[in-house]
Amino acid sequence: MGWCWLVLCKQPSSSICSPGWLTCRSLPPGALGRIADTVADRLRVPWFAGAVKINVSLVPPLVLLPVFLHVAALHFLLGLVILTSLPVVVLWYYYLTHRRKERTLFFLSLGLFSLGYMYYVFLQEVVPRGHVGFSQVVALTCGLILMLAALSRAKKDPGYIPIPASSDKSSHQDLPKSVRGSCNGLPGVTTSGPASNRAVNGEAKGYSRMSAEELEGVKKDWCAKCQLVRPARAGHCRLCGRCVRRLDHHCVWINSCVGEQNHQAFILALSFFMLTSVYGITLTLHTICRGRTPFVALFYCPGAYSDYSSALSFTCVWYCAIVTAGMGYILVIQLLNISYNVTEREARLALRDNTGRRLLGGLVIDTGQYNRGFLCNWGHFLSLGSSPPQHSAEDIV
């Protein structure tokens, strides 16, 4: 039962079913939003245990991507227009959802379906031509499997900091009253709440007076939304609504944060994707543009539109090349950040506060705060997640 149906409830006279829509009268404020919510709520797929609701953001890639690629294969100019428009549309939708602070499965769905569809076209259109060996198909398949395994690991817990129980939140509404610096520069909570009542003339027995610098450090690490003191380098993700240890960024392509626990898997997934994609592009171009190097064939392949099968394969190659170029840029930025031991979040904050140095033409922002040299920085990255996570402020207090 691979179909789905759309059931729209009866709308009041002021909604889309009213004659006002047919007479081109303006819709009331919020009508389009209610229409979208109604469509999203009524879009379901029949299943054994009853109709299953579909996330509407999953549908466009499944429907539009094959249509656009097949239309682009009809003529060179159509391919040029469509392949130029697709990145623009994707970027527009990214900025739209990012501005609204919305989580969406659109990008994850687009990425996974693109992989599956490109693999299907490769098996259906390229392999039957007889120029791709069995071992090459196996190598491409293994690369795809390894990439999906790394992606599955990257989708797991990025290092969320446990949110204190509701019963404990009331006692932590105010900032902790004092902190001390540890040997590695990470703040630690020493006392809070009633302990401050024992202070006499600004000092207390067994407690030290907190300086303005320490107070500023506590304010910086305090998350008002999660009601906790974050460890150093942790950050609050406004899309996930959680604090993450060593938060790098929220990646829309995996619909999750990249943090201390999944950063390595994220880099592995990007690396396997790059290797697999470049290998698949090379095999396809060697098949449909024989006698030319892959780079030359990508821009000059006279026989690409001689038949529809070659045209579709060539169009998919260009689509893969555009996606690979974008992912390659992300991977390069990530590798440079790791080499300087800086996260995307720290780089943005450094740019905002004008405290970082632009290096390599602005590709990386060196904050200088955690940079210990190339080898030490990579050693630190490879050890992420191997040591037990630091305790939260609620466990210390």
Side-chain angles (χ1 to χ4, degrees):
M1 304 290 289
W3 63 87
C4 64
W5 68 84
L6 182 65
V7 181
L8 291 175
C9 63
K10 292 183 178 180
Q11 302 292 334
S13 58
S14 61
S15 63
I16 64 172
C17 297
S18 65
W21 228 43
L22 300 177
T23 57
C24 300
R25 285 186 289 182
S26 60
L27 293 173
L32 291 179
R34 291 194 297 270
I35 294 170
D37 293 339
T38 301
V39 172
D41 183 65
R42 297 296 183 263
L43 192 61
R44 300 173 185 268
V45 168
W47 198 246
F48 299 102
V52 178
K53 184 178 178 180
I54 299 177
N55 190 315
V56 70
S57 61
L58 293 172
V59 178
L62 304 182
V63 176
L64 298 180
L65 181 63
V67 173
F68 284 161
L69 291 179
H70 278 274
V71 172
L74 295 175
H75 194 272
F76 169 75
L77 292 179
L78 285 174
L80 183 63
V81 172
I82 291 177
L83 292 177
T84 304
S85 303
L86 278 178
V88 176
V89 173
V90 171
L91 287 175
W92 169 80
Y93 187 71
Y94 166 75
Y95 285 114
L96 179 66
T97 55
H98 186 74
R99 187 173 66 251
R100 294 180 178 178
K101 302 179 183 180
E102 296 178 355
R103 295 189 67 180
T104 175
L105 292 174
F106 173 84
F107 300 98
L108 179 61
S109 173
L110 177 62
L112 292 177
F113 185 68
S114 295
L115 287 173
Y117 191 70
M118 295 304 104
Y119 186 68
Y120 168 79
V121 171
F122 179 80
L123 295 180
Q124 289 293 114
E125 306 295 343
V126 179
V127 174
R129 292 173 178 263
H131 300 297
V132 178
F134 177 76
S135 60
Q136 294 172 318
V137 176
V138 171
L140 187 69
T141 305
C142 289
L144 185 62
I145 293 174
L146 289 174
M147 193 278 297
L148 292 176
L151 179 63
S152 176
R153 174 62 187 86
K155 282 285 295 174
K156 294 183 179 179
D157 182 10
Y160 292 124
I161 301 176
I163 298 178
S166 58
S167 58
D168 297 330
K169 282 186 177 181
S170 59
S171 62
H172 295 90
Q173 295 295 324
D174 298 327
L175 294 178
K177 297 299 187 293
S178 64
V179 292
R180 67 169 181 268
S182 63
C183 60
N184 59 358
L186 303 183
V189 179
T190 58
T191 181
S192 62
S196 62
N197 296 329
R198 292 193 285 265
V200 179
N201 296 328
E203 296 190 11
K205 188 176 181 179
Y207 298 89
S208 60
R209 184 170 52 207
M210 188 171 68
S211 65
E213 182 179 353
E214 289 174 321
L215 178 60
E216 182 64 26
V218 173
K219 289 181 179 179
K220 182 178 179 180
D221 293 330
W222 173 257
C223 179
K225 294 186 179 295
C226 295
Q227 296 294 307
L228 52 82
V229 177
R230 298 182 297 233
R233 309 193 76 177
H236 183 86
C237 176
R238 63 178 186 174
L239 297 179
C240 296
R242 297 284 299 276
C243 284
V244 180
R245 300 181 187 277
R246 196 184 177 276
L247 174 63
D248 190 84
H249 69 289
H250 182 94
C251 181
V252 296
W253 295 105
I254 65 173
N255 195 34
S256 178
C257 289
V258 176
E260 184 178 85
Q261 298 297 317
N262 68 341
H263 202 167
Q264 295 173 350
F266 179 72
I267 296 297
L268 273 179
L270 280 176
S271 302
F272 281 130
F273 171 81
M274 291 296 298
L275 293 174
T276 304
S277 180
V278 170
Y279 188 57
I281 289 173
T282 302
L283 292 177
T284 304
L285 289 177
H286 274 313
T287 300
I288 62 178
C289 303
R290 299 188 61 81
R292 290 181 172 83
T293 61
F295 183 78
V296 173
L298 192 61
F299 295 95
Y300 181 70
C301 184
Y305 288 88
S306 59
D307 58 88
Y308 187 76
S309 175
S310 298
L312 179 61
S313 301
F314 189 72
T315 302
C316 290
V317 162
W318 258 106
Y319 175 75
C320 288
I322 293 173
V323 175
T324 303
M327 294 301 171
Y329 175 79
I330 295 175
L331 180 60
V332 168
I333 297 299
Q334 285 289 311
L335 296 179
L336 290 175
N337 285 345
I338 294 170
S339 300
Y340 286 90
N341 200 1
V342 62
T343 64
E344 285 285 332
R345 174 178 175 270
E346 291 166 351
R348 289 196 301 267
L349 293 177
L351 284 177
R352 185 194 67 184
D353 300 334
N354 197 24
T355 57
R357 295 185 304 146
R358 290 180 178 268
L359 301 175
L360 302 178
L363 289 177
V364 64
I365 307 299
D366 181 20
T367 62
Q369 188 174 3
Y370 301 102
N371 189 0
R372 300 295 181 268
F374 181 83
L375 293 179
C376 290
N377 293 340
W378 272 95
H380 170 74
F381 173 76
L382 295 177
S383 64
L384 287 179
S386 59
S387 58
Q390 304 166 7
H391 294 290
S392 64
E394 286 68 32
D395 297 330
I396 298 174
V397 173

